[in-house]
Amino acid sequence: MTGAVPFALLLALTAPAGAATDSPATRGDSAQGAAPTFGHTLPPVGFVRFCGRRPEACAARPAGAVRPVLTARQWELVTRVNDNVNAVVTPASDEQIYGEPEHWDYPVRHGDCEDYALLKQRYLEALGLPRSALLLTVVLDDKQEGHAVLTLATSEGDFILDNRRDGVRRWQDSDYTLLKRQSQADPREWVALAPDPSMRGGTVAVRAAR
């Protein structure tokens, strides 16, 4: 792993931090906690270009679609990755970093929302979570602007990792309108999270990190 968020940070995250934290989920029927999907849709343009530059990051994994049952220790690691990436990456827009309006990549010191999500996805996969449970997701925020987060799909439902706040929340508890996310079956494919066809295109721009 390269960039200003070092591999040493990932190793530090695996060190015990005291008593393991409880899962943020309420035990129950996982179907009730999963965000509904509405068929295939176009991926964001920035994601397509990212995959063109880094095809290995978008390759399908042999395990297939898996919703893991996370241990208390794994929940602790998820929270620590979310909080630490939020802390060490400084928010900046794609225009400021790359001089273009939409550029997805792993952050080097600075990044915007999708860059945070990509790095969290990368770290959590390295820590043993299946890629099919780590899904890049596009939403509308409370200002009706595009924003990107990472969805963690588990046996207990879907959870949101967001660069705008620490902590891991159920998707129902976010103040976002979910639009689309990566397919669990194939990370190169995307599925719609909104039934309105006007929200299912591939051109929703994600804005600056904060």
Side-chain angles (χ1 to χ4, degrees):
M1 294 183 184
T2 59
V5 183
F7 185 73
L9 171 62
L10 179 62
L11 296 179
L13 292 171
T14 65
T21 58
D22 291 333
S23 160
T26 301
R27 299 285 175 177
D29 184 356
S30 63
Q32 295 181 359
T37 61
F38 299 89
H40 288 281
T41 189
L42 294 174
V45 173
F47 171 79
V48 174
R49 293 172 178 166
F50 168 78
C51 291
R53 296 191 308 274
R54 298 181 181 267
E56 74 287 350
C58 304
R61 303 300 193 264
V66 176
R67 283 183 170 269
V69 179
L70 299 190
T71 65
R73 174 59 177 158
Q74 287 174 313
W75 278 113
E76 179 189 7
L77 289 173
V78 168
T79 299
R80 291 175 69 188
V81 166
N82 189 59
D83 293 353
N84 277 273
V85 171
N86 287 354
V88 300
V89 177
T90 301
S93 70
D94 288 331
E95 288 282 5
Q96 292 171 314
I97 302 168
Y98 304 107
E100 56 185 271
E102 192 72 5
H103 186 104
W104 294 36
D105 213 337
Y106 299 115
V108 178
R109 294 186 296 277
H110 301 82
D112 72 354
C113 51
E114 70 272 4
D115 304 334
Y116 285 81
L118 283 165
L119 189 62
K120 292 171 188 179
Q121 182 187 67
R122 191 183 208 185
Y123 275 5
L124 290 171
E125 186 178 18
L127 289 169
L129 272 68
R131 170 57 69 87
S132 63
L134 304 167
L135 308 170
L136 302 172
T137 304
V138 173
V139 304
L140 287 180
D141 64 16
D142 56 353
K143 297 180 181 178
Q144 297 300 295
E145 293 182 343
H147 179 52
V149 297
L150 183 67
T151 294
L152 174 63
T154 78
S155 63
E156 299 180 14
D158 293 348
F159 296 83
I160 298 296
L161 283 69
D162 188 6
N163 66 290
R164 293 180 175 175
R165 53 179 62 85
D166 293 335
V168 178
R169 300 172 298 153
R170 282 190 177 276
W171 71 270
Q172 303 98 317
D173 297 331
S174 73
D175 53 359
Y176 299 140
T177 300
L178 277 61
L179 298 183
K180 62 175 72 178
R181 66 162 169 76
Q182 285 179 293
S183 166
Q184 283 197 275
D186 187 338
R188 297 162 294 187
E189 302 292 332
W190 283 62
V191 295
L193 300 175
D196 183 353
S198 68
M199 293 184 173
R200 295 174 59 177
T203 59
V204 176
V206 290
R207 302 299 181 184
R210 292 181 182 172

